[in-house]
Amino acid sequence: MSQTPTHALPSYLNPEDLGPWGNYLQQVDRVTPYLGSLSRWVETLKRPKRSLIVDVPIELDNGTIAHFEGYRVQHNVSRGPGKGGVRFHQDVTLSEVMALAAWMSVKNAAVNLPYGGAKGGIRVDPRKLSASELERMTRRYTSEIGVIIGPSKDIPAPDVNTNAQTMAWMMDTYSMNEGATATGVVTGKPIALGGSLGRVEATGRGVFVVACEAARDRNIDVAGARVVVQGFGNVGGTAARLFHEAGAKVIAAQDHTGTVHNPAGLDVHKLLSHVSQTGGVGGFSGGQALDKAEFWTLETEFLIPAALESQITVDNAAKVRAKIVVEGANGPTTPEADDILAENGVYVVPDVLANAGGVTVSYFEWVQDFSSFFWSEEEINQRLERLMREAYASVAQVSREHKVTLRTAAFIVACTRILQARQVRGLYP
């Protein structure tokens, strides 16, 4: 993807193929005209503060030595320590981790959490490693990035192909190197190690909360509304269950195993049980199989893409017949598709707002670890819902003021907060 000459690109990226970082730069360009006097600092947003590339050597079970490429990028820490996940995937690149770190800066600022944005990853197919090899790789990676992470520096969390066990290994490795238990160095940990109640369902619950706020703004009654969900894992499954319990009809679900459709509404609890037993929605007896492409054309009040990135593209955006799209996944809509949806009057609640429930409860976990005082799940859910509603309200207000999409409004809110912090801190030395 070519970029305008105004972008001073780092020498280690290919200007002809910037990958996800190129998409992020486009988003910054769109928001710059709305930043007023703060636009003098906008180049800050186009340069990660710190990018660390590490070699991760481990001994495999067969006695040979393997080397993996690891990354940790801190995009901006003007508002607080870095915060962002760690993913294990064979296609991880520096461009991707840079963009994900930048989007975390935006997400944290949009919800007004006291964090900057960070992200990490290892270029590996974790399915090809044994559990013990994964543990050794995780521990070595943690030791290598240990110089820049810490409870008050940068706090990793789970992401693609990582989980609570990964975080337990990271916390233990960091603690061993520090000579003291440091529960606050990561979030998304097991409850036994200072993890938080409510963390597993947090992202899906946040999606549901902002969907209800958007519905009120668009004069749509959630009870009786139709919902289609792509991805029926942690995020999509939780959101679907909450919609179902609120009286909505989940009429279709799609994942990598297939698509099921029932105009009268799927039995979400039975579908969740089916997914738990079989690994996907495919073959569910409570609905009819549907062609993959037809899923996007269903007439519905809510469309929840909660699976992978780049699912709504120029190829299918014009066919979307949803009134509201709530992005449970990161980057499910391409910039070009975003414009098509806006032209067609589809109301999009962007990922940096809609799926911020996970990092919000990660923040609660970090706070609980520092105070060694833990809250009930009811308290956590109440606080999560209040923060998500407040974040939605502030973004929606900016959207109305400037007559822009919610995505542009979220970037205006977030980038203003980031650059205000940068400006009042000044430059050192």
Side-chain angles (χ1 to χ4, degrees), residues 35-48:
L35 297 176
S37 61
L38 289 172
S39 60
R40 133 175 218 254
W41 295 90
V42 78
E43 288 296 313
T44 303
L45 300 172
K46 300 178 186 178
R47 292 168 168 78

Side-chain angles (χ1 to χ4, degrees), residues 97-305:
V97 177
M98 286 168 60
L100 290 166
W103 286 323
M104 283 303 301
S105 292
V106 174
K107 186 182 299 186
N108 287 323
V111 190
N112 210 14
L113 300 178
Y115 288 139
K119 206 77 175 187
I122 302 179
R123 196 173 169 83
V124 60
D125 183 348
R127 295 169 298 183
K128 295 182 178 178
L129 297 183
S130 69
S132 58
E133 288 169 339
L134 274 175
E135 178 177 356
R136 291 196 291 276
M137 184 185 70
T138 301
R139 289 182 179 277
R140 181 65 190 227
Y141 168 74
T142 306
S143 290
E144 296 292 347
I145 67 167
V147 291
I148 64 168
I149 64 170
S152 58
K153 291 182 181 178
D154 180 1
I155 306 108
D159 198 73
V160 176
N161 294 327
T162 57
N163 55 27
Q165 178 61 73
T166 315
M167 295 304 106
W169 290 331
M170 291 189 74
M171 188 215 85
D172 182 68
T173 304
Y174 181 87
S175 297
M176 290 298 100
N177 288 337
E178 289 291 302
T181 299
T183 55
V185 68
V186 294
T187 58
K189 301 182 296 297
I191 299 295
L193 290 178
S196 178
L197 296 169
R199 177 64 184 86
V200 173
E201 290 191 346
T203 307
R205 186 173 294 277
V207 167
F208 173 71
V209 170
V210 295
C212 291
E213 296 297 293
R216 194 193 62 236
D217 276 359
R218 309 301 276 188
N219 296 315
I220 293 172
D221 191 348
V222 172
R226 295 162 296 183
V227 182
V228 299
V229 183
Q230 186 198 37
F232 225 72
N234 223 10
V235 180
T238 298
R241 177 178 61 79
L242 293 170
F243 268 111
H244 178 70
E245 291 170 358
K249 289 192 301 183
V250 178
I251 62 168
Q254 180 183 88
D255 65 12
H256 65 287
T257 65
T259 307
V260 290
H261 176 230
N262 185 340
L266 298 162
D267 186 321
V268 172
H269 292 287
K270 285 184 179 176
L271 181 53
L272 285 168
S273 178
H274 174 82
V275 171
S276 174
Q277 291 167 13
T278 67
V281 303
F284 179 60
S285 60
Q288 300 297 315
L290 191 69
D291 180 72
K292 183 179 179 181
E294 284 185 66
F295 172 84
W296 302 103
T297 69
L298 293 171
E299 190 170 328
T300 182
E301 278 68 50
F302 295 96
L303 167 59
I304 317 288

Side-chain angles (χ1 to χ4, degrees), residues 17 51 83 136 213 286 289 306 319 337 346 352 364 376 384 396 414 420:
D17 183 17
S51 300
K83 187 83 190 77
R136 291 196 291 276
E213 296 297 293
K319 301 172 186 173
V346 179
V352 292
F364 296 163
S376 69
L384 167 65
Q420 280 176 340

Side-chain angles (χ1 to χ4, degrees), residues 9-32:
L9 298 172
S11 61
Y12 48 80
L13 290 186
N14 176 6
E16 301 305 314
D17 183 17
L18 287 176
W21 184 249
N23 289 340
Y24 166 73
L25 290 178
Q26 284 187 54
Q27 292 167 333
V28 173
D29 286 342
R30 288 187 179 196
V31 80
T32 302

